[in-house]
Amino acid sequence: MPRVSYAVTGRDGLVRVSFLGEDHGHWRVLGDVDMSHSAPVAVLDPAREPDAEELRQVRARATALEAAPNVCGGTRNTVVLPAEGGTMDVYVLSATDDPHIVPLGGHARVRVSADGGTMLAFEPYSKACLDFDTGRKMPDGGELKALMATIVLSDLPAPTHVYTSLTYPWPIMLASETHLWKVADGRITIVDPAQNGGADRPDM
């Protein structure tokens, strides 16, 4: 089955998402979406070849997906960001097509070489898969107020906790060995029960 991938490039004020397909080892552009206007403008089967940056991102994405264990066993999304020295950080994110499921575990960061072909570092953000089913009926007519989990790989919340807090409407409460953290609307705070009757004390 032919592989498909995508790349996001920016040049001269133009942000373009390009979808690419591989056929017998050759990548071609299936479509371009210009994101620089008030509404996206799509062009199918444009008369151009993938450029070097697009192919670099495609290689980086493939390298990261192969390197990161798929602990949740399902679909994964990726985000490719520039890193120091021309390298790239590829965030491999557990995904779902169920609007009631919030994937909180199974995410990782993979540092990839400048050419996209070699893994340089791997940073998991959880030890196991963790999905929250927000569609479950709460007992006694209760209402879901927050998502709660423990973190064991670090005493600090991970970047993907912040990402999740910006994607879903519920605060995330994270218990580490040293603190109880609250992540909401992209902001991390320490829950300090000794001050202000349990009010949040800003920390990051």
Side-chain angles (χ1 to χ4, degrees):
M1 181 178 180
R3 288 192 298 165
V4 294
S5 190
Y6 67 94
V8 181
T9 55
R11 185 178 301 136
D12 299 327
L14 170 67
V15 177
R16 184 174 66 193
V17 180
S18 301
F19 297 90
L20 300 93
E22 183 194 36
D23 188 14
H24 301 292
H26 175 73
W27 286 94
R28 69 183 185 91
V29 181
L30 303 175
D32 288 328
V33 182
D34 180 355
M35 305 296 293
S36 303
H37 305 286
S38 58
V41 178
V43 177
L44 299 179
D45 199 19
R48 71 177 188 87
E49 293 293 316
D51 63 26
E53 174 59 24
E54 290 168 336
L55 293 175
R56 192 173 79 104
Q57 289 187 31
V58 166
R59 285 193 297 271
R61 182 170 285 106
T63 299
L65 286 170
E66 183 177 354
N70 189 357
V71 296
C72 291
T75 303
R76 295 183 292 175
N77 293 330
T78 53
V79 177
V80 181
L81 298 177
E84 59 187 29
T87 62
M88 290 170 281
D89 280 337
V90 183
Y91 291 85
V92 180
L93 308 171
S94 297
T96 178
D97 58 4
D98 186 336
H100 297 299
I101 298 298
V102 178
L104 195 63
H107 310 314
R109 178 184 66 90
V110 183
R111 176 66 58 88
V112 178
S113 59
D115 65 359
T118 305
M119 182 188 74
L120 303 177
F122 172 68
E123 182 181 18
Y125 291 132
S126 65
K127 292 186 67 175
C129 182
L130 178 60
D131 290 339
F132 285 97
D133 184 355
T134 62
R136 289 190 305 173
K137 185 177 180 179
M138 303 294 291
D140 300 324
E143 181 182 353
L144 179 63
K145 294 294 188 179
L147 309 178
M148 180 77 184
T150 58
I151 49 177
V152 296
L153 296 181
S154 171
D155 281 334
L156 299 173
T160 48
H161 293 129
V162 177
Y163 162 81
T164 302
S165 80
L166 291 168
T167 306
Y168 297 95
W170 300 281
I172 304 169
M173 309 300 293
L174 300 166
S176 72
E177 287 190 0
T178 58
H179 295 92
L180 176 62
W181 303 93
K182 177 183 177 181
V183 187
D185 300 321
R187 184 171 176 80
I188 301 173
T189 55
I190 294 176
V191 178
D192 188 349
Q195 295 185 8
N196 301 322
D200 297 341
R201 176 168 60 84
D203 189 81
M204 290 185 183

